[in-house]
Amino acid sequence: MGGGSNNSHNIDNGKYVRYTPEQVEALERLYNDCPKPSSMRRQQLIRECPILSNIEPKQIKVWFQNRRCREKQRKEASRLQAVNRKLTAMNKLLMEENDRLQKQVSHLVYENSYFRQHPQNQGNLATTDNSCESVVTSGQHHLTPQHQPRDASPAGLLSIADETLTEFISKATGTAVEWVQMPGMKPGPDSIGIVAISHGCTGIAARACGLVGLDPTRVAEILKDKPCWLRDCRSLDIVNVLSTANGGTLELIYMQLYAPTTLAPARDFWMLRYTSVMEDGSLVICERSLNNTQNGPSMPPSPHFVRAEILPSGYLIRPCEGGGSILHIVDHFDLEPWSVPEVLRSLYESSTLLAQRTTMAALRYLRQISQEISQPNVTGWGRRPAALRALSQRLSKGFNEAVNGFSDEGWSILESDGIDDVTLLVNSSPTKMMMTSSLPFANGFTSMPSAVLCAKASMLLQNVPPSILLRFLREHRQEWADNSIDAYSAAAIKAGPCSLPIPRPGSFGGQVILPLAHTIENEEFMEVIKLESLGHYQEDMMMPADIFLLQMCSGVDENAVESCAELIFAPIDASFSDDAPIIPSGFRIIPLDSKSEGLSPNRTLDLASALDVGSRTAGDSCGSRGNSKSVMTIAFQLAFEMHMQENVASMARQYVRSVIASVQRVALALSPSSHQLSGLRPPPASPEAHTLARWISHSYRCYLGVDLLKPHGTDLLKSLWHHPDAVMCCSLKALAPVFTFANQAGLDMLETTLVALQDITLDKIFDNNNGKKTLCSDFPHIMQQGFMCMDGGICMSSMGRAVTYEKAVAWKVLNDDEDAHCISFMFLNWSFI
């Protein structure tokens, strides 16, 4: 940098310039307006500000460079301080969790010792653990002791509230519940928090503790407003509010939750919520259901709802040093699983699902709000995060309303056509039609839909991960969607009188995905879908050429803990205004159990050819390996004019049935069992397959001197199919050899099926210069010598993913006449990068 003094006009290199306070003030004003001014702007500054006339432009440039550097350092220091505060708070949280676990271990040691000393009293064991206010009976934790009779007076309600507070604290920080870490959740500075689920207690329960960058009062305000963050919450009505002597509040609340599927009724709750401040300044919000055993105030049952129970639950919010809050959450429910079909009961008996949809949802929402406050940037399509969040809530709420179809919202069921696979409902209530209110258009017409029709159905899926199935539905819309229906839906909210679509088989357009925003942990993201190649529909309907869908997607991360996956979309106008009508449709897939035997987390198949096995039905896979099940709920909504109801109903029923058939076809192809069903099925298998396995094994021994396979009896094909390394065969074509066979590991490595395998050429998997050069030079050598051992390297799957392998072996496969039949490759210790 140059230098000089206050009185110096000649700047010598190597010296510093001392600026007067007035000069610094002038430079700071410009920096605030333009941190990186151009040379012309700096010269203009010197001309306009006489106080800077004795400073050369070069020194002005240096000052701005230094100023930007200091700003960068300040921001980095601030970031590191924030990280340090977060790590300090996380360390405190982990120490508290460690203390709690030590108490739990001591409690279990005491139980074990008691069992050893009094084996004859195991059936009648009843001890009290004062550290956690829990009662242990028959080796199990019963968290709700017999309540003393209460009444509906303020004193009686306060007695219930105090009891609820004690039980909640014992669950949040004590050992009243045996908590186990939720599978797949690892605590750390970048994780959402410490998440645990209950083991062996009444009902289902989940617990989480984490850091939130909001003050405790703001956290409490958000958590009490459940409909804003709990997507399953239909309504929360505060019936009465009472103040307590200690400054707390008692609230009598009636809450309704949506049913996640069409196969089960919704839930409602009548409960007491108690908010108070503890002696250490922590805020506590605890709640529990009110029932007849407490003689408290009652709420009559509501039609179409099953009254469920909230056991002592709530939120403990403590201020964190340096700002923010430390939050403990406990959710403990009895969702009355007896009221649903047996196949669905695991939905209502799963603590993992409760943690994902309720407990972790609260933490994610709070972190999202905190991020929006700290980084209020404009995201996709000029929308701020809060506006996009509101749109996602509208999509979710509209979809839930369609799935549940409550009569008090104006829904009425249409008569069935004799087959009960698809349910049709119509809503012509004024409230619903406000969402589809029309706007005038330049063509002089006004869209006037007078009702909304919903076609919905649920189906059970076998042995297909929800995340992979939903990701395929998102990325390959043409495999299940009918563009004529998309065009009709768009026309209903865009333009004037529209006719029913004319089915055009095979007329699927493309799609362009325009990302909008991600939520915390990338659990949910929104995007705008632009449908292409739909110009020919304009002759049937009065509508613009472009069709846009606002789409929300969640649960597609196949490496995360398997959870509910959703794809919800709605046609929107190109103007995309905040108050635009939204009529959502979509899919929801919920796992019914956590078993995933035989599934690879990296399985993503190329279904272009695999879908040709559509002649099989979903029931064919019942005997497949793996035992995972899930339930998919489909709901499609269409706005229409009342005089078209019969035609629209027929069209919607037929469309949903076609979507169900497409989903079954896709699910079957994605299921691991489809590998066996789509080609070779060992055992049994075709004679040609057994012959090929024998040739492969015999040729390997001839050229390399060792056995490739250890047969199961005499079944070489079974041994080859289950061989741990990827074995595949390709043709002897000089140009672009194609694959003709692969075992199960080979199909997994190539991410394909036996049907689609023959479309993959050998040079495609070596899609790099070095790989192709090696292949071209080694191919003649393999044919001449009979085999070749190759060093480890990298190849590509059919989906374009990089695959690394430790070693590869290639050998010529000879038939019974000792003629070359094909070339076989074996890739050892392969894995995706």
Side-chain angles (χ1 to χ4, degrees):
M1 292 187 300
S5 65
N6 289 346
N7 300 321
S8 175
H9 297 278
N10 296 320
I11 309 299
D12 297 328
N13 292 334
K15 296 184 179 180
Y16 293 99
V17 174
R18 291 185 179 275
Y19 297 97
T20 64
E22 293 79 8
Q23 290 174 331
V24 172
E25 183 180 355
L27 292 169
E28 287 287 351
R29 281 198 303 270
L30 178 60
Y31 181 84
N32 292 332
D33 294 336
C34 180
K36 197 172 183 179
S38 63
S39 175
M40 185 178 299
R41 183 71 182 90
R42 292 194 298 269
Q43 292 175 359
Q44 181 184 356
L45 174 67
I46 293 175
R47 290 194 301 269
E48 293 176 352
C49 191
I51 199 171
L52 299 176
S53 59
N54 65 329
I55 302 178
E56 290 185 358
K58 181 180 178 181
Q59 296 304 321
I60 298 290
K61 178 181 179 180
V62 170
W63 185 91
F64 274 94
Q65 290 174 342
N66 293 339
R67 181 64 177 83
R68 289 194 299 272
C69 183
R70 290 196 301 273
E71 180 73 13
K72 184 177 180 181
Q73 291 174 341
R74 183 189 65 79
K75 290 181 178 179
E76 180 65 11
S78 177
R79 186 190 68 82
L80 292 175
Q81 289 174 356
V83 171
N84 182 64
R85 288 194 299 270
K86 184 175 181 179
L87 290 174
T88 300
M90 181 62 73
N91 181 62
K92 180 180 179 181
L93 207 59
L94 291 173
M95 291 176 64
E96 292 175 354
E97 181 70 4
N98 184 58
D99 292 340
R100 189 193 66 79
L101 291 173
Q102 288 181 352
K103 288 169 60 178
Q104 183 171 326
V105 169
S106 300
H107 182 67
L108 293 174
V109 169
Y110 171 79
E111 286 185 10
N112 184 54
S113 175
Y114 187 91
F115 282 135
R116 288 172 179 267
Q117 295 175 11
H118 306 85
Q120 70 279 6
N121 295 330
Q122 289 186 21
N124 300 316
L125 176 65
T127 61
T128 301
D129 176 12
N130 295 326
S131 68
C132 65
E133 301 295 330
S134 67
V135 176
V136 182
T137 307
S138 300
Q140 300 290 327
H141 292 258
H142 292 270
L143 303 173
T144 309
Q146 294 296 321
H147 298 287
Q148 297 297 324
R150 302 286 190 261
D151 55 41
S153 67
L157 292 176
L158 183 59
S159 177
I160 297 174
D162 287 337
E163 187 178 77
T164 302
L165 175 61
T166 301
E167 291 192 46
F168 160 65
I169 294 297
S170 71
K171 296 176 186 178
T173 61
T175 59
V177 171
E178 183 181 348
W179 299 110
V180 295
Q181 182 173 307
M182 184 171 166
M185 295 296 298
K186 296 181 179 180
D190 296 323
S191 70
I192 193 172
I194 303 171
V195 184
I197 55 177
S198 61
H199 174 69
C201 74
T202 302
I204 55 176
R207 171 183 176 271
C209 46
L211 308 176
V212 179
L214 301 169
D215 65 85
T217 304
R218 177 62 173 146
V219 172
E221 176 186 336
I222 292 173
L223 291 174
K224 292 175 75 170
D225 186 14
K226 283 191 177 182
C228 79
W229 59 266
L230 182 57
R231 298 289 174 86
D232 293 336
C233 184
R234 184 195 183 204
S235 63
L236 187 146
D237 298 322
I238 300 176
V239 178
N240 195 11
V241 180
L242 300 172
S243 299
T244 63
N246 61 359
T249 58
L250 294 172
E251 297 168 290
L252 296 177
I253 293 175
Y254 176 67
M255 182 175 68
Q256 294 180 342
L257 297 185
Y258 290 111
T261 173
T262 62
L263 302 176
R267 266 47 183 171
D268 67 350
F269 303 85
W270 171 239
M271 61 185 186
L272 173 70
R273 183 165 68 189
Y274 179 39
T275 306
S276 64
V277 180
M278 301 186 71
E279 294 180 357
D280 62 356
S282 301
L283 268 173
V284 178
I285 306 168
C286 57
E287 53 196 22
R288 78 159 345 127
S289 288
L290 296 172
N291 50 48
N292 295 331
T293 61
Q294 300 154 336
N295 291 334
S298 61
M299 171 67 71
S302 299
H304 311 300
F305 285 88
V306 172
R307 181 63 51 86
E309 182 179 5
I310 296 182
L311 289 87
S313 306
Y315 314 98
L316 172 61
I317 313 164
R318 296 183 295 169
C320 181
E321 295 181 9
S325 305
I326 298 177
L327 174 63
H328 294 258
I329 303 176
V330 171
D331 290 308
H332 195 174
F333 290 78
D334 183 352
L335 295 177
E336 305 294 342
W338 59 265
S339 63
V340 301
E342 186 173 355
V343 70
L344 294 179
R345 287 183 184 172
S346 58
L347 284 181
Y348 298 86
E349 297 174 339
S350 171
S351 294
T352 299
L353 196 61
L354 174 66
Q356 292 166 341
R357 293 185 66 83
T358 303
T359 314
M360 294 168 63
L363 274 176
R364 286 197 181 97
Y365 186 85
L366 289 167
R367 293 185 63 179
Q368 184 179 357
I369 296 296
S370 174
Q371 187 180 61
E372 291 175 7
I373 293 174
S374 61
Q375 302 174 4
N377 298 324
V378 175
T379 57
W381 286 45
R383 293 298 194 279
R384 292 192 177 275
L388 293 175
R389 175 164 42 83
L391 286 172
S392 70
Q393 289 172 339
R394 289 178 61 190
L395 282 172
S396 181
K397 184 176 180 63
F399 183 74
N400 278 324
E401 289 177 354
V403 168
N404 286 262
F406 294 116
S407 58
D408 60 1
E409 291 177 347
W411 291 102
S412 58
I413 299 179
L414 294 183
E415 185 178 352
S416 170
D417 64 347
I419 306 175
D420 295 329
D421 56 340
V422 178
T423 302
L424 296 186
L425 301 95
V426 170
N427 193 331
S428 57
S429 65
T431 303
K432 185 69 174 178
M433 297 321 301
M434 286 178 63
M435 297 193 308
T436 61
S437 59
S438 60
L439 296 173
F441 287 83
N443 58 15
F445 289 106
T446 303
S447 175
M448 291 296 294
S450 54
V452 173
L453 182 139
C454 174
K456 61 182 182 179
S458 292
M459 56 187 291
L460 295 175
L461 301 174
Q462 176 84 16
N463 200 26
V464 56
S467 58
I468 295 179
L469 174 57
L470 200 85
R471 192 176 72 180
F472 182 86
L473 296 177
R474 169 181 173 263
E475 296 175 355
H476 301 273
R477 187 180 179 87
Q478 70 277 8
E479 292 290 347
W480 58 267
D482 185 338
N483 281 341
S484 63
I485 301 295
D486 290 330
Y488 173 81
S489 301
I493 68 165
K494 284 172 175 281
C498 58
S499 60
L500 286 178
I502 301 174
R504 301 174 186 267
S507 58
F508 293 106
Q511 65 180 36
V512 177
I513 299 178
L514 309 172
L516 283 178
H518 284 73
T519 61
I520 296 296
E521 314 293 330
N522 289 336
E523 285 293 323
E524 178 186 290
F525 56 88
M526 292 184 64
E527 56 199 5
V528 171
I529 308 298
K530 180 182 177 182
L531 301 182
E532 297 181 325
S533 304
L534 298 178
H536 52 268
Y537 289 107
Q538 296 178 65
E539 63 193 42
D540 301 324
M541 305 169 207
M542 303 184 65
M543 55 174 293
D546 295 331
I547 291 182
F548 296 96
L549 299 177
L550 177 64
Q551 183 165 278
M552 179 180 69
C553 194
S554 63
V556 295
D557 184 3
E558 57 191 272
N559 295 316
V561 180
E562 202 63 77
S563 62
C564 174
E566 292 181 332
L567 182 69
I568 304 174
F569 49 88
I572 57 172
D573 189 83
S575 63
F576 193 17
S577 58
D578 291 337
D579 58 349
I582 291 181
I583 309 177
S585 303
F587 306 88
R588 172 182 291 150
I589 313 173
I590 309 176
L592 293 177
D593 50 42
S594 59
K595 298 176 183 177
S596 56
E597 300 165 11
L599 297 180
S600 168
N602 296 320
R603 186 183 305 282
T604 53
L605 305 183
D606 181 359
L607 294 178
S609 298
L611 291 175
D612 292 336
V613 298
S615 59
R616 300 185 308 271
T617 62
D620 293 335
S621 62
C622 292
S624 65
R625 70 185 184 202
N627 195 28
S628 64
K629 297 184 181 69
S630 57
V631 57
M632 169 181 272
T633 298
I634 304 171
F636 284 83
Q637 297 189 82
L638 298 170
F640 67 99
E641 299 174 35
M642 285 301 294
H643 69 274
M644 301 170 61
Q645 175 173 312
E646 184 176 347
N647 293 332
V648 172
S650 176
M651 175 188 72
R653 186 179 281 116
Q654 180 181 356
Y655 179 50
V656 170
R657 284 172 179 162
S658 71
V659 171
I660 291 174
S662 298
V663 169
Q664 288 177 332
R665 199 159 48 94
V666 170
L668 184 60
L670 283 170
S671 171
S673 61
S674 66
H675 291 282
Q676 299 180 12
L677 293 166
S678 60
L680 299 178
R681 185 175 359 187
S686 64
E688 292 82 1
H690 285 281
T691 300
L692 178 62
R694 179 168 54 82
W695 289 350
I696 291 172
S697 177
H698 175 73
S699 301
Y700 187 89
R701 179 170 181 78
C702 287
Y703 288 118
L704 286 95
V706 294
D707 286 324
L708 171 66
L709 306 174
K710 295 180 180 180
H712 296 265
T714 58
D715 195 344
L716 288 172
L717 179 58
K718 185 175 182 180
S719 297
L720 177 62
W721 183 260
H722 295 295
H723 196 282
D725 295 316
V727 180
M728 52 196 76
C729 299
C730 70
S731 63
L732 295 176
K733 295 179 182 179
L735 298 176
V738 297
F739 287 103
T740 58
F741 170 81
N743 68 348
Q744 183 66 66
L747 294 176
D748 289 345
M749 174 180 154
L750 294 178
E751 294 191 296
T752 188
T753 66
L754 282 172
V755 175
L757 183 66
Q758 297 180 11
D759 296 330
I760 303 175
T761 58
L762 183 61
D763 63 339
K764 182 178 179 181
I765 73 167
F766 292 101
D767 195 12
N768 56 76
N769 291 332
N770 292 333
K772 288 182 178 179
K773 290 179 180 177
T774 303
L775 183 65
C776 293
S777 61
D778 289 346
F779 208 84
H781 188 77
I782 297 172
M783 296 300 298
Q784 180 180 2
Q785 181 176 314
F787 74 97
M788 171 71 70
C789 295
M790 296 174 282
D791 294 332
I794 296 176
C795 62
M796 308 294 289
S797 75
S798 65
M799 301 292 287
R801 286 209 287 176
V803 181
T804 179
Y805 54 91
E806 185 178 299
K807 188 177 181 181
V809 180
W811 66 99
K812 185 166 56 175
V813 177
L814 304 178
N815 60 19
D816 292 333
D817 296 329
E818 297 297 319
D819 295 326
H821 176 75
C822 62
I823 291 182
S824 187
F825 290 87
M826 181 168 65
F827 296 88
L828 287 72
N829 297 329
W830 65 271
S831 63
F832 291 108
I833 298 179

